[in-house]
Amino acid sequence: MHNPALTLILAASLSSVSLLYAKDVKVVKKPKSAAKPELEKNAIAGAANHKWADWIEPDFPFFSSVLDARNVGEGFPKDNLTPRGIILNLGHNLWACFDTDLLRIACIWQGEEGKPPVTQNALAPGSYHIAGQKTKDGEEDLPQPIGKVWLANGIYPGWQVLKSPDDKLSFIDPREPGPDTKEVGRGSLDEKIGVFKGVASTKDGAVLIYEVGGIEVQEWLQFDEAHDLVVRSFKVDKSSRSLALTFSQFGDDLEVKLAKLSAEERRELEQRLGMMDYDDDHSVADHFDDRTKKHRSVIIPVHNIPIAFALNFVVKKDFLPMLFDAKKFATPTKRAIWPQTITTKATLSQKGDAYVVDDIPLPLDNPWKRNVRLADIAFLNDKGDAAAVTMDGDVWLISGLNGDLREVKWKRFASGLHEPMSIVARSGSAGTLPASPKTSDTPAGSQRSQEDIFVFDRNGIWKLNDINGDGECDVYEIFCNKFAQTAESREFPSSMKLAPDGSFVISKGGQQGTYLGKNNGSVIRVSPDGKSYEVLGYGLRQPFLGVHPKTGLVVASDQEGHYVPTTPIHIIKDHQFYGHLAVIQPKEKYPQTIADPLTWIPHSVVPSGAALTWLTDAKMGSVNDELVLVSYNKPELHRVLTGSAGTLAGQSPPHSPAGVPALPVKPQATVVPWITNFDFPTLNAHINPADGQLYVTGFQIWGTTVKRISGLARIRYTGNPRVLLQECTPCDKGVLLRFNSPLEKSAATNPDNYNVERWNYKRTFNYGSPHLKADGTPGQEWMVPSSAYLSKDAKSVFIGLPNMKNTYMQMRVGYGLKGADGLPAQNNSYFTPYELTKFEADKEGFDNITVDLTPRKLVAVAAVKPTLDEGKRLYEMMGCIACHSIDGTVYGKVGPSWMGLYGSERVLAKGGDKATADDAYLKESILNPPAKVVKGYEKLDAGMPIYSGVLNVSQVESLILFIKSLK
């Protein structure tokens, strides 16, 4: 009899459907583009010659991926593209893709021996063995199933709610289209139709959990080896409405037959399972729907208790009638997949600097031969426990991140996620599935934290639940997937931060090469309960975020490229537009006024801006509460000086505490280099509450100046002194600099110890921008200081500069000073002078002075002789390394290799003309790349920056010398 206490599987009615091959299905492979074979070839070669095991682990029940099944054979649907797919491992090299947006099985296929189930032209698997392999923008070169596809569905919901069993079924996409109606990545279904809830990992495979019209469904797919059957098993909660399950769409090559149980067989089954009897009219088997020629469906009638049924699909031979084994509906049980713990020991820096870098080794020597490419870290408590996520979809629990870091313990917690780059811990649970237990042990043996773990990937925001307390994730709960996700290879799930009200702020990649999507290039706030979202801003290329942990202010960096003239830092609010358009949009047709950034930063200083972090509650000396920008290409940290107490000019945004004023109309910030000695790419940084120090992590795919693939490091404050700039304010008569300690007077008051320049950028369709003078010609305008004054407390300097203006996009102030104790004080500051404050000497702590603005002549700098070494340095520093290899390879690069380039013949895109790569050609290509674009590179979104006005003559000649040397 029915037992309402059971929560998973209660009883079963049986329908067995057999799919018989009439003849072999002819697989028609989609033509490959020029870039795809290279990426695939290198990924395969890398797997054969690398120490890591395969990216797809054979003993884990699922992984996430885009799946392109648009051209897998005649008779199959031509629109079958899955942006959010869970690839289920059924065993025996059988695979199924479940579309979490449309709740459908996109396809089932038999893999090829010795090959992965899908092509490896996605970002994570393609770069897993050979770091640096990038994906081309667009939706042409996407992962495809390898092998024979024998079941597929088109772009329509896998389930429907019916008013009666005789309702006509619909096979159209009911979701609201985006800007381009051809784009299938429209996001999840309306909750009234269906919603994906998550995946449970069990010893018997992955159980899919979702709702159809508010009715919970649990489904798992298995291969029945005894009968060569793929079995789709379902448990459906009680329902007052009929439901329809569409399980396949195919053409003339396949035949469908329904095998019904006799009344006697059904009674025997119902008796064996202890079910209530059903009339024949209410049997699932009797409601097999064959009203359409292309779509095969099952009608589930109204039922007042939970029911279970199965669909059986023949794989290799004819259907064999059988009674369904009731044991298959026992509650799936969890098994520990990764019981081992790995211990590493950090290397503490012995330098005497104020801020040193302690390197924390990754668990690369692990039993699974799993590469570990850390993308982000989240601290779980104040005891040194954390969770970290990798680009390859793994989550690790870490303990021992405190003190001397002698025993840092690592335990695998989750896997199967889709290219995540951010992880967050939040107190309490607002999800719909069971929360993680609060009493299980961490790998270090300490008490489990009260924090829930959230990861943002292409599927949406996951909440990871450890139900049985074994230190591994049992239920992967989709916390929110309401926002859209396309299959566009550059719509990265870039960043996620927790806001003080418990909401999540996420950012998504904005490069689009095929279709325009709904939420590409946007920053989104997801409500604390995950039930709703709002777009805070859009028109971003590849944004990474920062959210102030107390005020909620949202800021973002972005990447130089088309329409983004150099690296910016933005305040994100009020659904503003930030200037980036996809290359497929009309050129320079902006939808609304473009919001200005807090500041621009020269590309040579920060070639690739990443996450932003406020050092709130840090124990790091005078940098406490400041904002820090992570630089990726040149792995560095930069301080972003925004005013007092970690907010911009002492202001706060909406959502801030009562009584705090709103942001000024034109807030501005100054960027100053801080920590520059990392040997791995840096992407994210967070304060550890256990020691108040800053922990930095990142991994290599995109262009970087370092060779190490990934790393984790602690920035430790030693207590030793360091002279640091704390404020830089452009004024009507010059620039005010404030420092954290007194300066030596003679150096501070010598105007020759400062150098100042200013320039503009131009936002166009071209990639990046040259430095431009006020008249539009390339170059910078040098400003010669007339005077310099030291404040009464010796901690501030005012530099007198004639002809100050707020019409320039970029200023740089360099200074070579000394502290009063003799410590060096040398650095550069970069800012955009939106407002020029009136300088009042007495109010700013100076004597009653009159600023001398008498013009002084600029002392000419002697020309530097071009050298090969300088060219190599510029190749690494200016971002050339991101697009051009120097060893002849092209994997992961969007420009031709420099190996053998000099003197070669180049075929141009325009008209097919030819050109020789001599000195004149290389000089023009550096200073004005669009002049002669090589054939094959004309459509790439990642075009080359314009270096006219950025590099001087000597630097250009040094680069050419370096290129000449690469024979």
Side-chain angles (χ1 to χ4, degrees):
M1 299 298 290
H2 171 53
N3 182 355
L6 296 179
T7 59
L8 189 64
I9 301 301
L10 300 177
S13 170
L14 174 65
S15 171
S16 296
V17 179
S18 171
L19 305 186
L20 307 180
Y21 278 109
K23 57 183 179 180
D24 287 341
V25 178
K26 182 180 180 181
V27 178
V28 180
K29 294 186 177 180
K30 183 181 178 183
K32 298 179 179 180
S33 70
K36 182 175 179 180
E38 190 69 32
L39 178 62
E40 186 78 355
K41 180 179 70 175
N42 282 287
I44 294 171
N49 298 292
H50 208 282
K51 65 179 181 179
W52 308 119
D54 291 341
W55 184 82
I56 299 171
E57 296 186 283
D59 59 347
F60 194 71
F62 70 90
F63 66 93
S64 303
S65 178
V66 167
L67 191 72
D68 182 0
R70 291 175 291 188
N71 287 278
V72 295
E74 294 299 327
F76 289 107
K78 299 297 183 183
D79 60 354
N80 190 5
L81 175 61
T82 306
R84 288 170 166 164
I86 302 293
I87 310 294
L88 302 167
N89 184 352
L90 309 184
H92 300 271
N93 208 9
L94 280 165
W95 306 87
C97 175
F98 183 79
D99 183 332
T100 62
D101 281 336
L102 289 171
L103 308 182
R104 68 186 180 112
I105 293 293
C107 65
I108 301 177
W109 69 100
Q110 176 73 55
E112 292 185 17
E113 187 68 28
K115 294 184 179 181
V118 298
T119 57
Q120 298 177 72
N121 51 325
L123 189 66
S127 62
Y128 182 71
H129 292 287
I130 304 179
Q133 294 205 113
K134 295 183 289 188
T135 51
K136 181 182 177 294
D137 64 306
E139 298 185 14
E140 288 83 17
D141 297 330
L142 300 173
Q144 301 175 16
I146 297 177
K148 181 176 290 187
V149 175
W150 52 270
L151 180 148
N153 283 288
I155 304 300
Y156 44 78
W159 288 79
Q160 298 179 51
V161 180
L162 307 178
K163 293 180 180 178
S164 73
D166 298 323
D167 277 358
K168 183 178 180 180
L169 303 184
S170 173
F171 299 103
I172 61 172
D173 188 346
R175 300 170 298 172
E176 181 182 356
D180 193 326
T181 57
K182 295 179 182 179
E183 174 56 61
V184 303
R186 299 179 178 183
S188 61
L189 292 166
D190 186 284
E191 285 191 358
K192 295 178 181 178
I193 301 174
V195 58
F196 182 65
K197 303 297 288 296
V199 184
S201 175
T202 79
K203 71 173 185 178
D204 301 311
V207 178
L208 304 168
I209 307 168
Y210 49 91
E211 289 182 357
V212 179
I215 301 155
E216 183 172 283
V217 178
Q218 296 181 12
E219 171 184 359
W220 61 103
L221 286 81
Q222 292 175 300
F223 177 66
D224 187 315
E225 189 173 2
H227 301 91
D228 283 335
L229 297 175
V230 169
V231 182
R232 284 187 72 183
S233 305
F234 300 89
K235 176 259 179 177
V236 183
D237 206 352
K238 60 183 179 180
S239 174
S240 60
R241 293 173 291 177
S242 298
L243 308 177
L245 164 65
T246 297
F247 57 84
S248 67
Q249 174 186 343
F250 43 88
D252 297 333
D253 284 336
L254 291 176
E255 178 184 356
V256 177
K257 290 184 178 180
L258 174 66
K260 297 182 181 179
L261 296 177
S262 67
E264 183 178 349
E265 289 172 325
R266 189 178 300 115
R267 281 194 297 272
E268 180 183 345
L269 178 67
E270 290 169 350
Q271 259 186 350
R272 181 147 56 101
L273 297 180
M275 285 183 56
M276 295 174 62
D277 287 338
Y278 283 103
D279 295 334
D280 285 348
D281 289 343
H282 288 172
S283 168
V284 173
D286 288 332
H287 287 82
F288 170 71
D289 185 84
D290 196 18
R291 288 173 287 180
T292 65
K293 294 182 178 180
K294 290 185 177 180
H295 307 93
R296 301 298 185 260
S297 305
V298 171
I299 307 301
I300 294 92
V302 173
H303 49 281
N304 58 7
I305 65 169
I307 64 169
F309 68 97
L311 299 178
N312 296 340
F313 303 92
V314 167
V315 179
K316 297 178 181 177
K317 53 189 177 183
D318 290 351
F319 171 71
L320 300 175
M322 68 175 205
L323 280 178
F324 189 78
D325 186 356
K327 293 180 181 179
K328 290 184 182 294
F329 283 118
T331 301
T333 57
K334 180 73 170 61
R335 64 182 175 91
I337 304 174
W338 313 293
Q340 299 92 336
T341 296
I342 296 95
T343 301
T344 65
K345 179 181 178 181
T347 301
L348 301 188
S349 173
Q350 300 302 311
K351 293 182 179 180
D353 300 337
Y355 300 95
V356 297
V357 179
D358 297 328
D359 184 69
I360 305 169
L362 304 180
L364 299 177
D365 185 13
N366 59 71
W368 315 282
K369 295 183 178 180
R370 187 69 169 169
N371 196 355
V372 182
R373 300 189 290 173
L374 287 193
D376 196 10
I377 188 169
F379 291 97
L380 303 176
N381 53 36
D382 59 2
K383 300 177 183 178
D385 297 330
V389 68
T390 76
M391 179 62 178
D392 302 298
D394 300 324
V395 175
W396 293 75
L397 297 180
I398 315 172
S399 61
L401 295 177
N402 200 354
D404 59 8
L405 306 174
R406 293 181 63 86
E407 286 193 355
V408 179
K409 296 188 176 182
W410 304 74
K411 170 76 168 61
R412 287 188 72 179
F413 178 69
S415 190
L417 306 177
H418 195 180
E419 298 177 357
M421 287 188 280
S422 52
I423 187 168
V424 160
R426 189 183 73 174
S427 299
S429 175
T432 56
L433 295 180
S436 300
K438 309 304 179 186
T439 57
S440 64
D441 289 340
T442 65
S446 60
Q447 193 73 6
R448 173 68 185 271
S449 84
Q450 298 294 310
E451 303 290 298
D452 290 324
I453 298 171
F454 297 83
V455 174
F456 173 40
D457 76 348
R458 288 177 179 263
N459 295 294
I461 299 176
W462 295 93
K463 179 173 174 284
L464 305 180
N465 301 282
D466 179 6
I467 303 300
N468 63 3
D470 64 354
E472 295 182 14
C473 180
D474 308 306
V475 177
Y476 297 71
E477 174 190 352
I478 277 290
F479 181 76
C480 182
N481 67 343
K482 295 181 179 301
F483 45 88
Q485 173 68 45
T486 71
E488 164 65 56
S489 66
R490 300 295 180 90
E491 192 184 357
F492 304 122
S494 300
S495 194
M496 175 173 66
K497 301 291 183 180
L498 182 67
D501 64 353
S503 64
F504 298 90
V505 183
I506 61 173
S507 64
K508 297 164 65 64
Q511 294 170 267
Q512 299 173 86
T514 304
Y515 306 122
L516 295 179
K518 288 181 178 180
N519 298 134
N520 304 61
S522 62
V523 173
I524 293 170
R525 183 188 300 278
V526 174
S527 62
D529 61 2
K531 301 294 185 183
S532 62
Y533 75 93
E534 63 173 320
V535 176
L536 300 181
Y538 69 107
L540 294 146
R541 187 172 182 269
Q542 291 296 341
F544 285 86
L545 295 175
V547 176
H548 194 283
K550 294 183 179 179
T551 70
L553 177 68
V554 179
V555 293
S557 67
D558 206 356
Q559 312 294 308
E560 180 192 69
H562 298 290
Y563 300 104
V564 186
T566 190
T567 304
I569 299 177
H570 296 288
I571 295 175
I572 307 296
K573 62 187 181 73
D574 300 336
H575 200 263
Q576 291 183 332
F577 172 67
Y578 293 92
H580 178 257
L581 299 173
V583 293
I584 56 177
Q585 292 178 276
K587 291 184 179 180
E588 300 177 29
K589 300 293 184 184
Y590 304 111
Q592 67 182 71
T593 302
I594 301 172
D596 288 324
L598 273 170
T599 185
W600 297 103
I601 313 168
H603 182 260
S604 59
V605 178
V606 180
S608 181
L612 293 124
T613 300
W614 266 279
L615 306 185
T616 306
D617 297 327
K619 298 177 182 178
M620 304 194 71
S622 59
V623 301
N624 289 347
D625 296 322
E626 289 186 349
L627 177 61
V628 170
L629 169 67
V630 180
S631 173
Y632 179 85
N633 177 279
K634 288 167 53 181
E636 298 176 347
L637 300 180
H638 296 257
R639 296 165 58 232
V640 183
L641 309 181
T642 59
S644 62
T647 58
L648 295 163
Q651 311 297 316
S652 300
H655 306 289
S656 63
V660 179
L663 284 167
V665 176
K666 272 291 188 184
Q668 55 195 27
T670 299
V671 172
V672 184
W674 180 37
I675 307 292
T676 60
N677 53 339
F678 294 98
D679 64 355
F680 63 88
T682 49
L683 188 67
N684 281 292
H686 298 276
I687 290 293
N688 180 357
D691 57 15
Q693 306 299 289
L694 185 66
Y695 286 68
V696 183
T697 190
F699 66 97
Q700 180 186 147
I701 287 183
W702 303 280
T704 176
T705 59
V706 290
K707 302 297 183 183
R708 190 169 161 191
I709 302 302
S710 184
L712 174 64
R714 175 176 66 181
I715 310 304
R716 175 166 48 92
Y717 176 52
T718 65
N720 293 329
R722 178 172 173 179
V723 182
L724 294 171
L725 182 68
Q726 291 190 308
E727 181 185 333
C728 176
T729 302
C731 301
D732 57 344
K733 296 179 182 180
V735 176
L736 175 64
L737 304 179
R738 295 194 188 278
F739 293 84
N740 66 331
S741 60
L743 301 173
E744 192 274 323
K745 185 175 181 179
S746 62
T749 56
N750 183 354
D752 290 336
N753 288 332
Y754 307 90
N755 57 79
V756 184
E757 57 182 332
R758 60 188 178 186
W759 63 91
N760 284 316
Y761 304 106
K762 188 175 182 180
R763 188 192 298 272
T764 68
F765 173 78
N766 291 325
Y767 195 103
S769 169
H771 294 186
L772 300 170
K773 299 178 181 178
D775 61 4
T777 60
Q780 299 86 232
E781 295 180 9
W782 288 90
M783 303 178 69
V784 183
S786 297
S787 55
Y789 305 91
L790 189 63
S791 66
K792 294 176 183 179
D793 65 0
K795 292 185 178 181
S796 301
V797 172
F798 187 77
I799 309 167
L801 292 164
N803 197 27
M804 283 290 292
K805 293 182 179 180
N806 63 351
T807 56
Y808 288 82
M809 298 171 71
Q810 190 78 75
M811 282 190 70
R812 179 188 68 84
V813 175
Y815 50 91
L817 309 175
K818 291 188 297 182
D821 54 4
L823 288 175
Q826 302 167 350
N827 213 329
N828 288 280
S829 60
Y830 305 89
F831 56 93
T832 301
Y834 290 119
E835 296 180 353
L836 300 180
T837 302
K838 183 179 179 181
F839 178 67
E840 298 179 80
D842 55 341
K843 291 183 179 180
E844 300 296 345
F846 291 78
D847 291 325
N848 188 18
I849 58 174
T850 299
V851 178
D852 182 3
L853 296 179
T854 304
R856 299 171 66 236
K857 289 185 179 180
L858 176 66
V859 179
V861 179
V864 179
K865 182 180 178 180
T867 66
L868 189 152
D869 287 342
E870 174 65 4
K872 183 176 186 297
R873 187 186 74 84
L874 291 168
Y875 165 75
E876 296 177 345
M877 186 185 78
M878 300 303 296
C880 312
I881 189 174
C883 300
H884 305 278
S885 77
I886 57 176
D887 60 1
T889 60
V890 296
Y891 67 82
K893 306 296 182 182
V894 294
S897 176
W898 283 2
M899 171 69 78
L901 173 61
Y902 187 80
S904 66
E905 188 177 76
R906 318 301 291 169
V907 179
L908 305 181
K910 190 173 181 180
D913 295 337
K914 296 181 180 179
T916 300
D918 54 16
D919 288 52
Y921 170 90
L922 294 177
K923 180 178 180 181
E924 182 180 40
S925 297
I926 293 169
L927 298 179
N928 186 23
K932 291 185 174 68
V933 179
V934 175
K935 187 176 182 180
Y937 295 95
E938 63 271 26
K939 294 184 178 180
L940 290 178
D941 186 37
M944 180 172 166
I946 299 170
Y947 287 107
S948 177
V950 178
L951 300 176
N952 60 35
V953 173
S954 175
Q955 290 173 319
V956 172
E957 292 177 357
S958 294
L959 273 173
I960 293 174
L961 281 176
F962 180 58
I963 294 172
K964 284 182 177 181
S965 72
L966 301 171
K967 299 178 181 179

